[in-house]
Amino acid sequence: LLLLIALGGRTPRSGCAARCGDNIPLRRPTRPQQNFIMLYEARELFWEIVKNDGRSAHDQIAGSNMIGRQQQLDRIFDALDALCAGAAPNVLFVTGEAGIGKTTILRRVAELLAIRNSEARTLARYGSTEDSAASVIAVSTECSTPLAGRDIGEAESLNPWANLMAQLLEHSARETVEKKKTKFDFGKFLVDTAPAWVTMVPVLGPSVGAALDIVGATYDQYYFNRKLAKESSGQNAANQQQVFQQYINFLTSACERQPLVLMIDDFHWADTSSANLLFAAARALHGKPVAFVIAYRPDDAATSRAGEGHPVLHIRNELERYGLCVDLGIPRLTTADLDALLRERYPAYRNNSHFEEWLARTGGGNALFITQFLATLEEDGYITKESGSIREGFEKTGVPASA
């Protein structure tokens, strides 16, 4: 290890060709050059391992330090792995009350998928085919929060799906450039599979333009603009079914290049069209490497639409009937979880049963409420963060405004 470090310390992973210059004529390297290249690549692999604390993606998932949520996290990755193998339902509903930790879990899933992708790229770089299927494209978005009691989602029809499409386009464009593969025709790909989406959903315009700028293909932009002009002249999708089919065509083509994981948070605020598209896409793409991870609050969904209930409830029942979904409920923190949380937050903390009983009763096992209570107690001086000691009188603390 000291020998590898002595070669120059940690450097960006820019590749030997980039360091030596791409314009140098290719010729068989001499023996000293071969030795240098081998040592350089070994050092790069070493730093890749160091960056992840010497742990594989599987090890990091198993030890991700999600207090009270490790079982749910394991189930999500088991479901995603089974889906990539083509043997599982393709919709995973993550449900629970506000503040229970749904958003945190989705963010952690995205982080661990990024780690897994990095590991898969490293293995592929050094000729290994092990875990080659672990690399996926994961994108996420959230539905708009109601404003003044009015559901913004209905005014932003299909906006969550448009956001996911934009991220997929930008991700693929950057990946093409970074890997220096044959230039992918993004403009042609989009207008051939889902032209109505570009003219119908404004958010996609800048994203597609950014993807084209990354690739830098003038032909792409010419073809793209000509097709858009044709779509705008009245030959675009005439009904919702065609709009849905175009999105499904887009995902079908996109997943041929790499498995996809699409995550949408706060789906209890989604518009009706977005909910219907979920059902259509889940049925049409069953058996393909496309996973939909959908988080929502059952209570809010049940009281939505003036008490009639959000469409996601009916759609979930239908997907269950076809065997296309799995429901993963996020439970409240247990007493053991609360003790682990306190010990992680305050390393010097010693058991205080009176305080823990009060905190469990007041916070109701809700992860967000409990952490907000602890932050307020710290600010008010009832908890010393360094020592973890608890001062008398903490029971007087009211519910934090942030909770």
Side-chain angles (χ1 to χ4, degrees):
L1 296 182
L2 292 175
L3 174 62
L4 295 177
I5 295 171
L7 287 174
R10 187 172 187 176
T11 59
R13 293 181 54 195
S14 54
C16 187
R19 293 170 64 86
C20 300
D22 292 329
N23 297 324
I24 298 177
L26 294 177
R27 60 172 62 93
R28 183 178 180 85
T30 63
R31 176 62 65 180
Q33 289 173 332
Q34 290 178 352
N35 292 339
F36 172 79
I37 292 172
M38 290 174 60
L39 287 171
Y40 172 81
E41 292 182 344
R43 180 171 58 85
E44 292 290 280
L45 179 58
F46 164 73
W47 283 119
E48 186 70 28
I49 296 172
V50 170
K51 183 174 67 176
N52 292 329
D53 298 326
R55 299 179 296 164
S56 66
H58 176 78
D59 293 335
Q60 293 186 64
I61 292 169
S64 57
N65 209 25
M66 288 281 290
I67 295 175
R69 301 291 179 259
Q70 191 58 52
Q71 182 179 358
Q72 288 72 34
L73 198 62
D74 290 340
R75 285 188 60 191
I76 290 175
F77 274 89
D78 288 342
L80 294 179
D81 290 340
L83 176 65
C84 289
N90 56 353
V91 181
L92 180 61
F93 287 111
V94 179
T95 60
E97 64 185 34
I100 203 68
K102 302 182 299 298
T103 300
T104 301
I105 286 182
L106 261 58
R107 288 175 180 169
R108 187 56 178 158
V109 168
E111 292 172 357
L112 291 173
L113 284 174
I115 293 171
R116 175 181 284 189
N117 287 344
S118 176
E119 183 177 281
R121 286 193 299 269
T122 303
L123 290 171
R125 182 181 178 189
Y126 293 97
S128 173
T129 57
E130 182 182 357
D131 290 336
S132 59
S135 180
V136 302
I137 298 178
V139 292
S140 61
T141 189
E142 60 185 18
C143 299
S144 299
T145 306
L147 183 62
R150 302 195 63 178
D151 201 347
I152 298 179
E154 293 298 330
E156 297 178 345
S157 182
L158 298 173
N159 194 61
W161 297 103
N163 286 333
L164 294 177
M165 179 183 278
Q167 292 178 50
L168 287 172
L169 285 170
E170 293 179 5
H171 181 279
S172 298
R174 290 192 175 90
E175 187 179 59
T176 298
V177 174
E178 289 172 0
K179 291 185 177 180
K180 299 182 180 179
K181 289 184 176 179
T182 303
K183 189 161 48 186
F184 183 70
D185 199 335
F186 290 94
K188 187 176 187 300
F189 173 68
L190 183 63
V191 297
D192 283 349
T193 56
W197 281 78
V198 184
T199 57
M200 181 183 65
V201 186
V203 71
L204 278 179
S207 298
V208 175
L212 293 176
D213 288 341
I214 292 172
V215 177
T218 56
Y219 166 75
D220 284 347
Q221 300 196 30
Y222 171 74
Y223 184 92
F224 176 70
N225 292 327
R226 186 178 61 176
K227 288 283 287 188
L228 285 188
K230 185 177 180 180
E231 289 295 321
S232 300
S233 65
Q235 301 180 31
N236 55 335
N239 55 52
Q240 188 179 79
Q241 183 178 358
Q242 291 180 348
V243 172
F244 286 3
Q245 188 58 51
Q246 288 189 13
Y247 200 93
I248 292 169
N249 293 344
F250 172 83
L251 293 180
T252 301
S253 299
C255 74
E256 291 175 355
R257 307 177 70 232
Q258 205 169 353
L260 307 177
V261 177
L262 281 65
M263 297 183 283
I264 305 180
D265 198 4
D266 294 330
F267 206 75
H268 50 276
W269 290 326
D271 60 283
T272 302
S273 294
S274 289
N276 291 336
L277 177 52
L278 171 64
F279 180 71
R283 291 196 61 188
L285 296 169
H286 180 57
K288 297 187 180 297
V290 181
F292 303 94
V293 183
I294 309 296
Y296 72 93
R297 305 174 193 166
D299 292 344
D300 285 4
T303 57
S304 180
R305 305 294 195 272
E308 295 181 2
H310 193 277
V312 69
L313 299 177
H314 173 68
I315 287 171
R316 185 199 62 188
N317 293 336
E318 287 297 305
L319 291 175
E320 285 181 347
R321 186 163 68 91
Y322 288 102
L324 297 178
C325 73
V326 175
D327 193 284
L328 179 62
I330 308 301
R332 298 190 175 194
L333 296 178
T334 64
T335 304
D337 297 332
L338 182 57
D339 182 71
L341 175 63
L342 290 170
R343 292 183 182 282
E344 181 187 73
R345 191 179 182 103
Y346 314 109
Y349 172 77
R350 293 185 178 181
N351 283 25
N352 186 323
S353 57
H354 176 54
F355 173 72
E356 291 181 21
E357 290 173 4
W358 173 85
L359 188 59
R361 183 176 61 255
T362 307
N366 186 289
L368 176 63
F369 291 175
I370 289 174
T371 54
Q372 292 301 317
F373 267 114
L374 291 176
T376 300
L377 290 168
E378 292 168 9
E379 293 175 1
D380 294 346
Y382 288 107
I383 298 180
T384 305
K385 196 165 185 178
E386 292 75 15
S387 63
S389 59
I390 312 297
R391 186 166 62 86
E392 293 295 330
F394 58 82
E395 302 94 335
K396 302 175 184 178
T397 304
V399 178
S402 56

